[in-house]
């Protein structure tokens, strides 16, 4: 009992010393964290800069929404003519209030505020929720990750409604999986947008040729559209950095043209169309047309397509710039464009099919045609880029097979190119364009994809308002009712057209959902198996400093998905080989539910066991916007952080308390001359065989980003530090070997048939065709060692 009391007192003293040192180390980081965490919200833009950003956002964010006037009225009245001019007024009234409720009120002023430090999209909302509730299905997070400057989250009272919602989400794995599937469905529909937007935009713009060349066959129009699409997808590997400066002027000119043409048509044909701003005409429209009017909502829905891309492409612009661009340019120009088309149709009831092009004054027809085609290409480019971005996010969160990702710009890290996805999108886009050959069926497919994405966003926003914003339940209820009433009404209308083209996004989404969920399921099962089969630290320490083997000169980097414990592949390796390296470093690359991890916070290094074991762990942390690309500096950065860790550890020696600095908060019991005692000596005979880990950790800031100055605590031995650094450098010069686990996952014999199909066939096929980890980590073949093993899950 006395020895226990003495040990507790020593632990308290050490903990007190470590707390003081912890404050000295973390104090500047707290200031940086506060500045960076609030940078996005507090950064003030000058009026001139804000207007410039609003102008630039036109080319990236609003291209898709701006090209909708090309095809909305034709899809609303697919017969090509209207019988009653009041039907046009009613349809225009629906368009006006759809644009007001969904893009303006819901997205621009509400949803865009739910960004993750400026990042938008389905996965950004999901990452916010993952930080506020334990709903991530791969449990590789720890409390130290919450200290990242980008890991911002709010706290709430235990008895608040937000806390109850959090507990409700966390209680059952089924709810976590249901939320993940909801996010994946939204993601798959965005991928569907990447296929359908180029098809309908380019085909609709090129269709203007038939207005001046009525004898041209539809097949020629489709062929021209296909050629443009092939060119568009073939140029993706160059990126948009070189031509991106053209996008904003093109889209601005497009909006000014359609707005000006709208004013001209209202003045020339029928100004009474402006009575559509009265919502009473919506009631009259449904009363007069009945079921036919309800079905026509599938066409009206296309007026708000591109709204989901607005949120997904939020990354490079502040919300205020997005709001200024929409309220000052996009919204008024779209209202004028639709009003002008409606005025023209009321005067020309049989010209619905090509109402946009027929309503253009003859003197400016060809310039408008060229600008329309350019705007359609810009809209397509924005959607394709958003698809690449969301694939990257899905890959980072373990929901998509490993594919090649190429950075196309040195200035903007968000501009990426995914070759495999690009060619799949091109093939499917051409198939849709050539297969349907008309805007109506593609429009039905497009509307289905868009409304499902909006519904997914609404459900996620409800949770965001409860958990993140902690809004009053009445406000949440108002938002929910307004959003769901409008969106479910549209959803019910597009369901009627499933057999008229609406099945396309459902089939595409089902295929991608199967791939993404099976990959995620296999990844989770493999991670769980590795967690359960990891080697106990007591077994490793029981082997002694030589691990019962010959320690040959060199450094072995053992790559593992585990951020704690010794992976099974290491025990498999040392059991089958008579030697291992003098220095062993377990490297874990993990992605967190944050948009990025700063370079100086990326690496966490700690020692495993006594010093003479020469075993370390390095955790490299990334956000879903970061990319662990083929980086020749990764290995150098890792070793720089390792050397810095040794220096800091030597300075802290004598007051080391691993509980304070442990990455995983595991208790370490030390008494007298333990594994890392006050005198720095090691003794394996004094190891408690029941301990789960014996670690000494220092959070390491990369030396590539500033210097860390730490005061010495205790009696540190400079000679010991120099000796170990020289030893590490000599081992590095002797050679570095990268040890990767080449695991094969199989379903157990007693598993159900659908699990066997998912694991043994689909997941195994995806693992076979996806990129190897050695390629992703840029590991030379001559230094690569694969350790094969079979997991039964």
């Amino acid at each position: 009992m006395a020895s226990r009391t003495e040990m507790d007192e020593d632990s308290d003293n050490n903990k007190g010393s470590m707390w003081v040192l912890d404050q000295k180390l973390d104090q500047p980081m707290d200031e940086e964290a506060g500045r960076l965490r609030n940078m996005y919200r507090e950064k003030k833009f000058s009026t001139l800069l804000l207007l410039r950003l609003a102008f630039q956002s036109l080319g990236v964010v609003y291209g898709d929404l701006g090209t909708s006037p090309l095809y909305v009225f034709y899809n609303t009245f697919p017969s090509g003519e209207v019988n009653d001019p009041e039907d046009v007024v009613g349809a225009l009234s629906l368009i006006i209030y759809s644009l007001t409720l969904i893009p303006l009120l819901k997205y621009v002023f509400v949803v865009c505020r739910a960004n993750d430090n400026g990042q938008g999209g389905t996965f950004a909302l999901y990452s916010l929720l993952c930080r506020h509730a334990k709903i991530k299905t791969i449990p590789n997070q720890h409390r130290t990750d919450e200290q990242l400057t980008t890991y911002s989250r709010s706290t709430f009272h235990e008895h608040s409604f937000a806390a109850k919602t959090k507990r409700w989400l966390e209680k059952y794995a089924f709810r976590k999986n249901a939320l993940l599937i909801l996010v994946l469905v939204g993601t798959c529909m965005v991928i569907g947008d990447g296929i359908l937007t180029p098809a309908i935009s380019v085909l609709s713009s090129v269709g203007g040729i038939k207005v001046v060349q009525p004898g041209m066959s539809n097949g020629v129009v489709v062929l021209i559209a296909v050629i443009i699409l092939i060119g568009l997808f073939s140029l993706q590997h160059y990126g948009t950095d070189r031509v991106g400066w053209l996008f904003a002027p093109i889209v601005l000119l497009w909006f000014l043209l359609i707005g000006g043409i709208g004013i001209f048509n209202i003045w020339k044909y029928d100004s009474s169309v402006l009575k559509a701003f009265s919502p009473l005409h919506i009631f009259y429209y449904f009363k007069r047309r009945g079921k036919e009017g309800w079905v026509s909502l599938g066409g009206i829905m296309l007026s708000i397509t591109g709204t989901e891309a607005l949120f997904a492409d939020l990354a490079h612009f502040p919300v205020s710039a997005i709001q200024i661009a929409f309220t000052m340019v996009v919204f008024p120009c779209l209202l004028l464009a639709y009003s002008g088309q409606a005025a023209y149709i009321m005067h020309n009831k049989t010209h619905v099919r090509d109402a946009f092009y027929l309503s253009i004054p003859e003197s400016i027809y060809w310039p408008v045609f060229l600008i329309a085609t350019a705007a359609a290409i810009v809209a397509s480019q924005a959607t394709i880029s958003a698809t690449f971005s969301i694939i990257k996010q899905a890959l980072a969160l373990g929901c998509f097979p490993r594919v090649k990702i190429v950075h196309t710009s040195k200035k903007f890290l968000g501009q990426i190119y995914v070759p495999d996805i690009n060619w799949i999108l091109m093939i499917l886009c051409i198939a849709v364009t050539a297969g349907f050959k008309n805007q109506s069926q593609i429009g039905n497919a497009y509307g289905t994809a868009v409304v499902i994405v909006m519904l997914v966003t609404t459900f996620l926003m409800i949770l965001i308002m409860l958990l993140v914003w902690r809004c009053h339940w009445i406000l949440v209820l108002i938002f929910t009712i307004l959003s769901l009433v409008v969106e479910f009404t549209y959803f019910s209308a597009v369901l009627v057209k499933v057999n008229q083209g609406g099945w396309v996004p459902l089939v595409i989404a089902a295929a991608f959902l199967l791939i993404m969920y099976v990959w995620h399921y296999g990844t989770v099962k493999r991670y769980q198996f590795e967690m359960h089969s990891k080697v106990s630290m007591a077994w490793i320490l029981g082997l002694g400093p030589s691990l019962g083997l010959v320690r040959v000169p060199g450094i072995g980097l053992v790559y593992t998905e585990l951020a704690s414990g010794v992976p099974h592949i290491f025990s498999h390796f040392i059991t089958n080989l008579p030697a291992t390296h003098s220095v062993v470093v377990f490297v874990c690359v993990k992605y967190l539910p944050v948009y990025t991890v700063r370079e100086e916070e990326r690496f966490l290094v700690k020692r495993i066991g006594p010093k003479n074991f020469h075993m370390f762990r390095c955790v490299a942390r990334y956000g879903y916007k970061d990319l662990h690309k083929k980086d020749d500096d990764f290995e150098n950065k890792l070793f720089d952080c390792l050397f810095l860790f040794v220096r800091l550890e030597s300075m802290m020696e004598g007051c080391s308390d691993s509980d304070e600095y442990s990455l995983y908060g595991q208790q370490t019991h030390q008494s007298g001359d333990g594994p890392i005692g006050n005198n720095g000596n090691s003794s394996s005979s004094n190891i408690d065989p029941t301990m789960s880990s014996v670690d000494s950790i220092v959070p390491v800031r990369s030396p590539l980003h500033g210097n860390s100055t730490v005061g010495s605590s205790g009696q540190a031995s400079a000679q010991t530090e120099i000796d170990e650094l020289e030893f590490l450098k000599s081992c590095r010069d002797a050679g570095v070997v990268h040890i990767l686990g080449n695991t094969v996952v199989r379903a157990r014999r007693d598993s159900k048939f659908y699990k066997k199909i998912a694991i043994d066939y689909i997941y195994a096929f995806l693992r076979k065709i996806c990129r190897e980890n050695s390629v992703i980590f840029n590991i030379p073949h001559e230094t690569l060692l694969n350790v094969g093993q079979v997991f039964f899950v």
Side-chain angles (χ1 to χ4, degrees):
M1 187 68 182
S3 61
R4 177 183 293 272
T5 303
E6 292 173 3
M7 182 181 71
D8 289 342
E9 290 176 356
D10 291 341
S11 177
D12 290 340
N13 292 333
N14 281 344
K15 189 168 184 177
S17 303
M18 287 299 296
W19 187 87
V20 173
L21 183 58
D22 181 33
Q23 296 303 302
K24 292 180 180 178
L25 283 170
D26 286 348
Q27 190 172 2
M29 286 302 296
D30 289 339
E31 294 176 4
E32 293 172 6
R35 284 199 302 268
L36 199 77
R37 189 172 292 122
N38 295 314
M39 179 183 66
Y40 185 81
R41 289 175 296 187
E42 295 180 357
K43 189 173 182 180
K44 301 295 182 182
F45 297 94
S46 66
T47 304
L48 189 62
L49 178 58
L50 205 56
L51 291 175
R52 180 184 172 189
L53 291 171
F55 166 70
Q56 292 175 350
S57 71
L58 290 172
V60 176
V61 177
Y62 293 112
D64 191 4
L65 190 63
T67 54
S68 297
L70 289 169
Y71 43 79
V72 168
F73 276 109
Y74 170 55
N75 284 275
T76 305
F77 303 101
S79 62
E81 61 179 350
V82 293
N83 299 320
D84 189 344
E86 290 298 315
D87 290 347
V88 180
V89 176
L92 177 61
S93 187
L94 278 167
I95 291 172
I96 290 171
Y97 285 97
S98 294
L99 284 170
T100 303
L101 289 174
I102 302 299
L104 181 64
L105 297 181
K106 178 187 173 183
Y107 274 85
V108 173
F109 287 106
V110 179
V111 175
C112 282
R113 288 184 59 241
N115 58 81
D116 184 12
N117 288 78
Q119 306 297 318
T122 308
F123 274 109
L125 297 179
Y126 184 62
S127 70
L128 276 175
L129 292 174
C130 286
R131 296 207 298 270
H132 288 79
K134 296 178 182 178
I135 56 176
K136 192 177 179 185
T137 51
I138 300 180
N140 64 346
Q141 291 176 239
H142 189 261
R143 60 181 176 83
T144 53
D145 298 331
E146 300 174 11
Q147 298 170 8
L148 293 170
T149 53
T150 52
Y151 200 102
S152 57
R153 67 172 185 173
S154 57
T155 57
F156 32 78
H157 193 271
E158 185 180 354
H159 300 292
S160 64
F161 193 74
K164 294 177 182 178
T165 306
K166 176 178 180 290
R167 289 193 293 269
W168 181 84
L169 275 176
E170 296 174 347
K171 189 173 183 180
Y172 298 109
F174 167 77
R175 293 169 184 168
K176 299 178 185 179
N177 286 325
L179 183 61
L180 175 66
I181 291 173
L182 182 70
V183 172
L184 294 182
V185 167
T187 302
C188 294
M189 288 300 172
V190 172
I191 296 173
D193 281 356
I195 296 166
L196 297 169
T197 298
I200 193 170
S201 298
V202 173
L203 186 61
S204 299
S205 63
V206 173
I209 298 177
K210 293 187 67 177
V211 174
V212 293
Q213 296 289 336
M216 183 180 291
S217 68
N218 192 52
V220 175
V221 175
V222 171
L223 179 61
I224 295 173
V226 168
I227 292 172
I228 292 175
L229 290 171
I230 292 174
L232 174 64
F233 283 100
S234 298
L235 296 175
Q236 288 299 309
H237 67 280
Y238 291 110
T240 59
D241 195 28
R242 297 179 183 178
V243 295
W245 61 274
L246 280 173
F247 288 178
I250 289 172
V251 176
L252 177 62
L253 183 58
W254 167 252
F255 276 118
L256 294 177
L257 279 173
I258 63 175
I261 293 169
I263 294 173
F264 173 79
N265 288 330
I266 294 170
W267 170 77
K268 181 179 179 179
Y269 294 106
D270 195 345
S271 60
S272 67
V273 75
L274 297 177
K275 63 185 179 182
F277 281 86
S278 170
L280 288 174
H281 289 278
I282 297 176
F283 171 75
Y284 299 148
Y285 178 79
F286 286 119
K287 183 179 180 181
R288 188 168 50 253
R289 299 197 71 193
K291 182 180 178 181
E292 190 178 355
W294 171 64
V295 172
S296 70
L297 287 174
I300 303 288
M301 173 72 200
L302 298 180
S303 65
I304 56 177
T305 55
T307 307
E308 72 291 344
L310 178 156
F311 183 50
D313 290 325
L314 189 64
H316 299 297
F317 303 98
V319 174
S320 53
I322 299 289
Q323 293 171 341
I324 289 173
F326 189 83
T327 53
M328 294 182 63
V329 178
V330 178
F331 188 62
C333 288
L334 285 176
L335 294 184
L336 290 171
Y338 286 118
S339 300
Q341 281 191 57
Y344 176 84
I345 294 171
M346 289 178 69
H347 197 265
N348 302 274
K349 299 182 180 64
T350 59
H351 290 180
V352 176
R353 182 180 182 87
D354 296 305
F356 176 79
Y357 283 111
L358 291 171
S359 66
I360 299 173
E362 189 175 347
S363 58
I364 61 170
Y365 180 83
W366 286 111
V368 174
F369 172 78
L370 293 175
I371 294 297
T373 305
I377 292 173
V378 171
S380 304
Q381 178 61 58
T383 312
I384 294 168
S385 298
T387 304
F388 290 160
S389 178
I390 205 163
I391 289 291
K392 166 66 188 73
Q393 295 177 26
L395 189 152
L397 294 175
C399 297
F400 203 84
R402 295 184 296 270
V403 291
K404 183 178 182 180
I405 296 177
V406 180
H407 277 277
T408 59
S409 172
K410 295 181 179 179
K411 298 178 182 178
F412 305 104
L413 292 178
Q415 294 185 7
I416 59 175
Y417 166 63
V418 187
D420 300 331
I421 300 299
N422 181 67
W423 302 124
I424 292 174
L425 292 180
M426 186 187 78
I427 293 170
L428 293 176
C429 186
I430 292 173
V432 168
T433 305
F436 286 143
K437 299 181 181 179
N438 68 77
Q439 303 171 21
S440 180
Q441 288 183 315
I442 299 177
N444 295 337
Y446 195 18
T448 304
V450 170
V451 73
I452 292 177
V453 175
M454 290 182 177
L455 283 170
V456 169
T457 302
T458 298
F459 288 127
L460 293 176
M461 277 301 302
I462 293 170
L463 294 175
I464 292 290
M465 294 176 78
L466 290 173
L467 286 177
V468 182
W469 293 351
R470 290 169 290 167
C471 295
H472 195 279
W473 66 269
I474 295 179
L475 291 177
V476 179
L477 186 63
I478 293 172
F479 173 84
T480 304
I481 292 174
L482 287 176
S483 299
L484 293 184
V485 165
V486 175
E487 290 163 8
F488 269 120
T489 302
Y490 279 124
F491 184 61
S492 64
V494 299
L495 283 181
V496 177
K497 298 185 177 182
V498 167
N499 62 340
Q500 301 172 30
W503 56 271
V504 172
L506 299 179
V507 171
I508 293 172
F512 275 98
L513 180 62
L514 179 66
I515 291 171
M516 295 172 75
Y517 189 76
V518 168
W519 180 265
H520 182 75
Y521 178 79
T523 302
V524 171
K525 288 297 181 183
R526 193 181 69 215
Y527 181 84
Q528 290 175 348
F529 184 89
E530 290 186 1
M531 279 291 292
H532 294 152
S533 61
K534 65 183 179 181
V535 181
S536 68
M537 199 64 210
W539 182 75
I540 293 291
L541 297 178
L543 297 176
S546 67
L547 301 180
L549 305 167
V550 177
R551 302 292 291 265
V552 297
I555 297 179
L557 300 181
V558 183
Y559 289 82
T560 173
E561 294 183 8
L562 299 180
S564 66
V566 178
H568 184 263
I569 61 166
F570 183 69
S571 66
H572 187 63
F573 171 69
I574 63 176
T575 301
N576 290 276
L577 290 177
T580 189
H581 301 88
S582 300
V583 177
V584 176
V585 181
F586 298 103
V587 181
C588 171
V589 177
K590 71 173 182 176
Y591 287 89
L592 303 174
V594 295
Y595 77 100
T596 188
V597 176
R598 298 177 66 194
E599 194 72 37
E600 60 266 36
E601 295 180 309
R602 178 146 295 155
F603 293 97
L604 281 177
V605 179
K606 69 176 179 180
R607 185 186 298 277
I608 300 179
K611 281 189 175 183
N612 58 355
F613 276 60
H614 301 300
M615 296 174 65
F616 302 89
R617 183 187 314 285
C618 175
V619 179
R621 303 176 293 183
Y622 291 84
Y624 57 80
K625 276 290 187 181
D626 295 325
L627 183 64
H628 184 70
K629 56 185 183 296
K630 296 176 72 173
D631 188 356
D632 295 332
D633 290 334
F634 178 80
E635 184 179 308
N636 294 330
K637 293 174 184 176
L638 189 153
F639 283 118
D640 287 340
C641 290
L642 181 60
F643 296 154
L644 181 60
F645 165 81
V646 172
R647 296 190 190 99
L648 290 175
E649 185 192 43
S650 179
M651 295 168 66
M652 294 164 56
E653 205 162 90
C655 61
S656 177
D657 179 30
S658 63
D659 179 46
E660 192 69 31
Y661 275 94
S662 174
L663 183 60
Y664 301 95
Q666 295 168 330
Q667 295 289 340
T668 302
H669 303 287
Q670 298 182 24
S671 177
D673 295 336
I676 304 179
N678 294 340
N679 58 2
N681 297 326
S682 302
S683 174
S684 60
S685 61
N686 293 332
I687 302 298
D688 181 355
T690 62
M691 72 177 65
S692 59
S693 70
V694 182
D695 304 326
S696 176
I697 181 167
V698 177
V700 178
R701 301 182 63 195
S702 173
L704 301 176
H705 293 265
N707 298 321
S708 300
T709 304
V710 186
S712 297
S713 298
Q715 300 297 321
S717 172
Q719 187 61 43
T720 303
E721 172 197 337
I722 294 172
D723 291 344
E724 185 164 19
L725 286 175
E726 290 297 327
F727 177 73
L728 289 175
K729 290 176 182 177
S730 64
C731 288
R732 185 182 181 185
D733 293 338
V736 178
V737 176
H738 302 260
I739 304 171
L740 271 72
N742 188 13
T743 57
V744 177
V745 182
R746 289 282 183 265
R748 292 193 301 266
R749 289 186 177 182
D750 58 346
S751 300
K752 296 182 179 179
F753 76 95
Y754 57 82
K755 183 177 179 180
K756 290 182 179 179
I757 293 174
I759 296 294
D760 294 346
Y761 295 97
I762 302 176
Y763 183 72
F765 175 74
L766 293 175
R767 288 265 295 179
K768 186 176 181 179
I769 65 173
C770 76
R771 304 187 84 208
E772 294 289 340
N773 275 325
S774 59
V775 177
I776 296 175
F777 296 138
N778 195 29
I779 298 173
H781 286 288
E782 58 272 15
T783 63
L784 173 64
L785 178 62
N786 276 316
V787 180
Q789 55 184 343
V790 180
F791 288 165
F792 289 92
V793 297

